[in-house]
Amino acid sequence: MLFTRPEALSAATADVYREWLRAAGKTGDRAVVECGRQLDPWQVVRAGLVPYWCESATRRSVAGAELWLAGSSAFSSVDVLPDPPGMASPVLAGLPQWRAAASFGRRRGAVDRLAARGYPTSAVPTGHATEVLRNQPYDLPAPKPLRIVDALTGLRDSGTQQGLLIC
C-alpha cells in the first residue's frame, strides 16, 4: 500500500469502516476524528463509530478531516479528540479549526473539553481517548470481522482518487 499523504489513508479507512458498519446493519452515522495518540480502536468498534485519524494537530491534517467530512454523507454526530502538541506553532490547527470539523455533525458536534481547555500547550494523558470513547453509547454486537479482501477492495475503491495505491 502506498500513499502520498496520511489523509488519503485516513479517508479511505474511514469509508471502509462506514461501509462495514452499514453492511452489518448499523447506521454508520456517528464519526470520531482522532489525532496522534488520542485513539482507541476497540472503543470505536464497540460504539459503532466511523474513525478518521489525523496524524498530527497541524492545519493540513485537520483540513484533510474537514474535506473528508464535507465530501461524505452527513453524520448525525462528530466527536473530535485533538492531541495537544504541547507548544504553540503557526502550523498547528487552532481550536476554531477543530470546532469547524466537529460542526459537520448534523445533531451534535463536540471537541473534547479536556484537550480544548489548554490547547495547544496542555498535555492530555495517552489513555484519555479510551475514557472519552468509553462514554459513547454501545452499538453491540460488533460486526463480524472485516475480511481482508473486503478491506482491500474498499480501500482501493475509496482511496484511488485520493492517491492511495494498493499493490
Side-chain angles (χ1 to χ4, degrees):
M1 183 180 314
L2 301 171
F3 50 92
T4 56
R5 48 192 184 33
E7 295 85 9
L9 180 58
S10 293
T13 300
D15 289 341
V16 167
Y17 260 78
R18 194 172 206 185
E19 289 307 312
W20 175 54
L21 291 168
R22 287 180 170 173
K26 311 286 183 181
T27 63
D29 75 343
R30 295 184 303 139
V32 60
V33 176
E34 300 168 304
C35 178
R37 306 167 302 136
Q38 295 303 317
L39 58 107
D40 186 327
W42 168 244
Q43 295 299 329
V44 164
V45 170
R46 181 209 42 85
L49 300 171
V50 175
Y52 181 98
W53 179 70
C54 293
E55 177 186 35
S56 64
T58 62
R59 288 191 318 244
R60 176 183 172 165
S61 193
V62 180
E66 290 174 297
L67 287 171
W68 174 76
L69 287 162
S72 298
S73 298
F75 287 94
S76 64
S77 69
V78 176
D79 286 281
V80 177
L81 294 166
D83 189 11
M87 63 181 181
S89 170
V91 301
L92 295 175
L95 276 177
Q97 189 175 5
W98 287 109
R99 287 186 181 116
S103 74
F104 281 95
R106 278 190 331 262
R107 289 187 219 137
R108 192 180 71 71
V111 175
D112 176 63
R113 282 187 238 159
L114 179 63
R117 190 172 299 140
Y119 185 87
T121 57
S122 66
V124 176
T126 304
H128 180 64
T130 298
E131 296 303 316
V132 170
L133 295 172
R134 194 176 282 154
N135 290 323
Q136 291 284 337
Y138 283 54
D139 192 6
L140 295 175
K144 290 181 182 177
L146 182 62
R147 297 179 331 145
I148 292 292
V149 68
D150 295 332
L152 291 174
T153 299
L155 288 170
R156 188 175 291 116
D157 291 349
S158 177
T160 300
Q161 66 271 20
Q162 299 174 55
L164 187 67
L165 176 64
I166 309 288
C167 301

